[in-house]
Amino acid sequence: MKSHGKRTASWLIAAGLGLAAGAAWSADSLQDVLKARGLSQQDLLAAAKTYVPTGKRDEFVAFSSGGQSGQVIVYAIPSMRILKYIGVFTPEPWQGYGFDESSKKVLAGGKIDGKDITWGDTHHPAVSETNGEYDGQFLFINDKANPRLAVIDLRDFETKQIVVNPIFKSEHGGAFVTSNTEYIIEAAQYASPLENKKFFPLEEFNEKYRGGVTYWKFDRKEGRIDVAKSFSLELPPYSQDLSDAGKGPSDGWSFTNSFCTERYVGGIEKGRPPYEAGCSAKDTDYLHVINWKKAAELVAAGKAKKINGHNVLMMETAIKEGILFLVPEPKSPHGVDVTPDGKFLTVAGKLDTHVSVYSFEKIQAAIKAGKFESKDPYGIPVISMKDALHTQVSLGLGPLHTQYDSKQCVAYTSLYVDSQVAKWNYCEGKVLDKISVHYNIGHLMTMEGDSTKPAGKYLVALNKLAIDRFVPVGPLHPQNHQLIDISGDKMQLLYDMPVPLGEPHYVVAIDAKKLKPAVRYKVGTDSRTDKPHPGAVRAGEEKVVKKGNKVEVFATLIRSHITPETIDVDIGDEVTINLTNLERAQDETHGFTVSTYNVHASVEPGKTVQVKFKADKEGVYPYYCTEFCSALHLEMQGYLLVKPKGWKPTKTTLAKGNYTEADYKATVKKVADTQAIIDSVVAYITSVNYKDFPDVVAMVEDAFDQLGKTKGLKEKHEGFAAKKDWENANLWAEQIWQYQVKTADLGLRAKTYLEQNGAKKVK
Ligand code: RUQ
Ligand code: CUA
């Protein structure tokens, strides 16, 4: 312990005096490097376009579906550096998600029929919008396998809510938001009876199975979905697929693709042709055109039917009220994507080489004129394709999804079979450029490319296969996201990024400047409810309350101790530990775990988290902070003592250390030396314009906060010294040094920051 302290002291001195050697650049010239690494000029250009120098930040932040991991992956563009995984449908230990009580409650919102579902097939993330533009406040994502939708608050990048679709058994066409995030759209995929747990044989598919679209009402002030105000629209048992909300002139409407309008039921095991054959037999499927604004009014007027306690507007009502229409679209279509101006919708053919551009104006004209070519078997009016089409463009094989550029009329469509991205003009209906990707692209994404104001610049191709692109890591390959420069006339491939967490179906990217996440919580906040946590305490209020076999601990965390440092319980006690992080400093998160009790908390500055378990095994269980938060992180520890039945103490004092007067004097000297370093760092900081750097101002505040904690300790150690209690005298002096170390650590960090960011001398 003592020698560790000494080493730290000399390290501090070295750093404080600026003796640490800086890394020197090797003498290679650019040409040498190109030659040695076998790089071309083109590679160099691509590298320069993606490289974000140390200390600098990226321009865009991407939120990627984490596929089967049930999480969200956050990465930055153009560097393609991964910033974070957000636990959504799946427990995520680092963030304590699913290991502390509040986050368990969020996950419990995703239980279906009383059962935990601890994975998700996440597909489509969506950023909240204001007037059709990304506003950076919330993120939504769906789970296709278990029809659920999650709300993530971008103020802290935490999942706040999971809702289960009350009538579907799967859902693919979500999450898509309306222009002002009034609703989050979620369309069913595989038709099934809407009434939960009702059985109907496949022979009754046409009569009893149904699809639909759900409109989840979003309460922006609460930051939560309002389940009671949400509703669905019953639709035929066509496999409703991707959706999009109208914008501008088409605001108030939504569009949902479908496939398998054949309503074919397979049975390959019985000798029937399989689904894939029967579901692609017809030349066209249907685009559903829905007036959601009117639908919401009808629901409010009591015209919906309750199914599983949820408001469902039945097809019959929707047809009668004139809010539901169909338009044929080429064979097994996939994406439907409304143009930034809201005037057109592009639909990709998947099994057709065309992208079809529908005109919203023409669709409206047909509706107004009552001009329909037919009705589907359920009586829904069908607008003819030619009455609705603006143009069709042959792009290539397997068109799937479309995104838009900041340049007028320019769109990009992924071509799955061709493994290409096509750049084309949707106003004039002509192809502009094509680029090969590797391999078999699914979605693609441009910056804010599905909003009313796409930002252009970059495109990411989300390829379904990586095959030979990376160092092999076994039969399961990473996914491959490829970054493409779209700023010029020709697209240019810049970078391959392996994604090793699941198949990300879709990504959205937002201008990084629009995100303003907090660095700390108001002290005592339960981050999952945004409310004060009942278990929060302030410094000095820590306590252990025992009632019968229930033990509740109210603890605090701050560099580098957990208060309390011992927790005594009897075997069988139910233990609840509330932990409040008292730090105000940026990035001073403490973690918490108790050996072998499967609890873990991530306690960011200001947060209060609760963990709970039954102390059902006698023994000694260390608990500690799991984040390397300070030089004395390893010492941020304590013991949970689980005593057996009837145990009585025989020894009542702790072992003493052998501290002498000389030890005490040495510690006092160390304190004085360290104070001199602190003073010199403070002198440097105050000699420059540190007040112009908000991050430094925060560090300086934190440093003085740490130093402030030494108040009264000098009197304390001197008091013990007067009584020749060298143990207490030495240890309380040592505690001053602990706070000094943290102060100096912060001061040095601030000094380095100032030196690297061009701080200027002030008089
Ligand atoms: S879709 S398969 Cu977004 Cu192309 Cu899910
Ligand atoms: Cu707190 Cu480590």
Side-chain angles (χ1 to χ4, degrees):
M1 187 52 229
K2 274 195 264 170
S3 66
H4 184 111
K6 246 173 228 155
R7 254 183 284 126
T8 315
S10 47
W11 161 75
L12 275 174
I13 292 162
L17 301 179
L19 298 179
W25 283 99
S26 82
D28 294 338
S29 75
L30 197 52
Q31 284 309 323
D32 293 338
V33 177
L34 289 185
K35 209 168 136 219
R37 300 201 63 221
L39 301 175
S40 66
Q41 288 291 334
Q42 187 69 14
D43 293 332
L44 186 64
L45 194 61
K49 284 185 179 182
T50 56
Y51 182 64
V52 175
T54 173
K56 295 274 181 309
R57 295 183 187 175
D58 283 275
E59 207 179 335
F60 294 95
V61 174
F63 296 97
S64 171
S65 140
Q68 300 87 337
S69 75
Q71 302 181 352
V72 163
I73 305 166
V74 186
Y75 63 79
I77 292 174
S79 73
M80 307 303 265
R81 298 183 290 194
I82 293 181
L83 301 173
K84 195 173 214 171
Y85 296 146
I86 305 173
V88 183
F89 297 108
T90 313
E92 201 292 306
W94 177 44
Q95 293 153 57
Y97 188 58
F99 300 90
D100 72 60
E101 292 305 304
S102 305
S103 63
K104 276 188 198 165
K105 272 190 206 131
V106 174
L107 278 164
K111 282 188 181 193
I112 297 183
D113 302 327
K115 287 214 176 82
D116 280 324
I117 299 194
T118 51
W119 85 290
D121 186 14
T122 58
H123 273 244
H124 308 107
V127 176
S128 56
E129 293 179 9
T130 301
N131 297 324
E133 287 181 54
Y134 287 4
D135 58 35
Q137 292 181 7
F138 296 93
L139 183 76
F140 311 98
I141 192 159
N142 70 320
D143 171 8
K144 172 175 168 170
N146 322 288
R148 301 182 293 177
L149 194 86
V151 179
I152 296 157
D153 193 329
L154 294 177
R155 277 173 299 192
D156 59 1
F157 285 52
E158 283 197 353
T159 303
K160 304 287 175 168
Q161 185 186 26
I162 297 175
V163 292
V164 177
N165 193 292
I167 55 170
F168 300 156
K169 290 290 188 292
S170 61
E171 65 97 342
H172 186 218
F176 298 96
V177 299
T178 55
S179 283
N180 283 294
T181 324
E182 298 95 334
Y183 290 94
I184 305 142
I185 302 172
E186 191 187 35
Q189 180 101 91
Y190 306 114
S192 49
L194 300 183
E195 273 168 79
N196 199 19
K197 301 201 197 94
K198 268 267 161 109
F199 172 77
F200 294 103
L202 287 164
E203 285 72 12
E204 292 178 52
F205 190 88
N206 294 354
E207 300 78 35
K208 301 292 190 192
Y209 288 51
R210 288 292 178 268
V213 182
T214 298
Y215 298 87
W216 289 105
K217 179 80 192 149
F218 188 61
D219 182 334
R220 199 188 277 264
K221 225 181 97 231
E222 290 295 314
R224 301 292 185 279
I225 284 168
D226 186 340
V227 173
K229 288 196 184 137
S230 305
F231 68 95
S232 298
L233 181 60
E234 178 205 31
L235 291 176
Y238 309 148
S239 298
Q240 278 81 30
D241 202 26
L242 295 181
S243 309
D244 202 359
K247 37 184 107 115
S250 53
D251 187 24
W253 292 74
S254 71
F255 313 94
T256 298
N257 269 325
S258 61
F259 60 89
C260 207
T261 53
E262 293 85 350
R263 295 176 292 165
Y264 182 73
V265 176
I268 191 170
E269 69 291 344
K270 299 188 192 102
R272 277 171 64 79
Y275 275 103
E276 58 177 313
C279 280
S280 56
K282 281 201 319 178
D283 279 340
T284 55
D285 285 294
Y286 288 128
L287 173 69
H288 301 69
V289 177
I290 301 160
N291 185 337
W292 63 257
K293 232 171 220 169
K294 199 97 182 279
E297 285 165 22
L298 293 171
V299 173
K303 301 239 164 136
K305 182 181 157 184
K306 289 263 186 220
I307 301 181
N308 306 329
H310 169 75
N311 278 322
V312 182
L313 199 61
M314 304 308 281
M315 274 192 283
E316 208 193 324
T317 316
I319 296 164
K320 204 169 72 207
E321 301 282 347
I323 63 157
L324 171 63
F325 308 92
L326 299 173
V327 189
E329 33 181 25
K331 218 177 175 69
S332 304
H334 198 42
V336 51
D337 298 282
V338 177
T339 55
D341 59 11
K343 290 186 182 162
F344 303 102
L345 8 151
T346 54
V347 171
K350 200 162 80 177
L351 295 184
D352 184 274
T353 59
H354 291 94
V355 164
S356 305
V357 183
Y358 293 90
S359 153
F360 182 71
E361 207 182 304
K362 286 188 175 177
I363 291 173
Q364 289 304 308
I367 292 171
K368 218 162 262 154
K371 192 167 178 241
F372 305 112
E373 67 172 15
S374 61
K375 282 185 177 159
D376 87 331
Y378 300 89
I380 308 173
V382 180
I383 301 164
S384 82
M385 205 189 308
K386 93 174 174 330
D387 284 345
L389 268 184
H390 164 64
T391 183
Q392 278 188 315
V393 192
S394 178
L395 294 182
L397 297 179
L400 293 186
H401 298 282
T402 299
Q403 289 262 295
Y404 301 97
D405 202 335
S406 51
K407 295 168 200 148
Q408 273 266 308
C409 299
V410 175
Y412 301 86
T413 298
S414 52
L415 304 174
Y416 178 84
V417 179
D418 275 340
S419 289
Q420 285 187 318
V421 172
K423 175 179 179 178
W424 57 288
N425 182 310
Y426 61 82
C427 300
E428 292 160 30
K430 64 173 189 225
V431 178
L432 303 172
D433 186 28
K434 279 193 187 185
I435 190 170
S436 293
V437 291
H438 316 84
Y439 305 90
N440 297 92
I441 179 174
H443 276 270
L444 43 59
M445 179 270 295
T446 54
M447 307 301 100
E448 305 195 2
D450 57 13
S451 72
T452 51
K453 286 231 176 65
K457 293 194 177 183
Y458 305 103
L459 180 149
V460 177
L462 283 64
N463 306 315
K464 295 298 181 195
L465 303 179
I467 308 182
D468 54 359
R469 302 299 285 189
F470 304 110
V471 174
V473 289
L476 179 62
H477 292 232
Q479 302 279 312
N480 184 11
H481 284 194
Q482 287 185 305
L483 182 70
I484 294 168
D485 178 358
I486 56 168
S487 57
D489 288 341
K490 297 289 286 172
M491 292 178 276
Q492 188 198 356
L493 182 59
L494 298 179
Y495 194 73
D496 283 20
M497 177 210 205
V499 180
L501 196 68
E503 183 200 336
H505 285 264
Y506 185 44
V507 182
V508 286
I510 182 171
D511 185 334
K513 287 194 293 295
K514 289 190 185 173
L515 296 172
K516 299 199 170 59
V519 296
R520 66 181 71 83
Y521 294 98
K522 186 154 180 256
V523 184
T525 301
D526 177 341
S527 68
R528 303 286 171 179
T529 61
D530 309 330
K531 301 210 164 75
H533 196 295
V537 287
R538 296 189 173 261
E541 297 173 355
E542 299 88 349
K543 60 186 172 188
V544 178
V545 180
K546 185 157 178 160
K547 269 193 211 129
N549 70 336
K550 291 196 171 39
V551 178
E552 185 157 10
V553 182
F554 298 84
T556 61
L557 308 167
I558 194 157
R559 278 159 290 166
S560 310
H561 47 265
I562 302 166
T563 311
E565 296 190 335
T566 38
I567 300 173
D568 275 289
V569 304
D570 296 305
I571 188 159
D573 282 353
E574 283 170 29
V575 182
T576 303
I577 306 176
N578 301 287
L579 302 139
T580 300
N581 183 344
L582 300 176
E583 305 278 359
R584 302 305 298 147
Q586 171 153 311
D587 204 14
E588 279 301 340
T589 294
H590 300 289
F592 181 82
T593 188
V594 182
S595 167
T596 73
Y597 275 102
N598 198 37
V599 288
H600 184 239
S602 173
V603 201
E604 291 83 49
K607 205 192 227 186
T608 299
V609 183
Q610 183 181 78
V611 296
K612 236 176 180 167
F613 55 92
K614 191 169 177 188
D616 50 7
K617 317 174 275 182
E618 86 165 62
V620 173
Y621 302 92
Y623 53 84
Y624 68 96
C625 166
T626 59
E627 284 272 339
F628 207 112
C629 52
S630 59
L632 277 298
H633 149 76
L634 291 175
E635 289 77 355
M636 200 164 168
Q637 59 167 357
Y639 282 106
L640 168 75
L641 304 164
V642 184
K643 295 172 288 187
K645 280 225 158 56
W647 183 86
K648 288 267 173 329
T650 49
K651 205 167 174 221
T652 49
T653 47
L654 291 167
K656 278 206 171 215
N658 289 319
Y659 295 100
T660 61
E661 184 175 3
D663 291 331
Y664 170 62
K665 288 207 164 128
T667 306
V668 170
K669 177 163 189 314
K670 182 171 74 174
V671 166
D673 291 348
T674 307
Q675 190 57 46
I677 296 172
I678 293 172
D679 292 343
S680 76
V681 173
V682 169
Y684 166 77
I685 292 173
T686 51
S687 75
V688 298
N689 60 335
Y690 82 95
K691 288 200 176 134
D692 296 340
F693 302 88
D695 285 338
V696 172
V697 171
M699 281 187 245
V700 169
E701 262 171 36
D702 186 27
F704 280 112
D705 188 45
Q706 289 293 334
L707 202 59
K709 293 189 199 313
T710 60
K711 215 175 136 217
L713 294 183
K714 186 163 186 280
E715 292 71 21
K716 210 165 177 169
H717 72 71
E718 286 173 355
F720 281 112
K723 284 186 273 176
K724 299 200 187 307
D725 178 345
W726 303 121
E727 163 143 342
N728 273 308
N730 186 45
L731 294 182
W732 284 114
E734 178 74 21
Q735 183 56 34
I736 294 183
W737 190 71
Q738 293 308 327
Y739 289 120
Q740 286 180 320
V741 168
K742 288 157 204 150
T743 308
D745 179 24
L746 284 155
L748 294 173
R749 213 181 293 162
K751 183 169 175 261
T752 309
Y753 185 106
L754 290 167
E755 285 164 354
Q756 288 178 350
N757 287 279
K760 288 191 194 66
K761 283 261 166 237
V762 289
K763 269 155 255 155

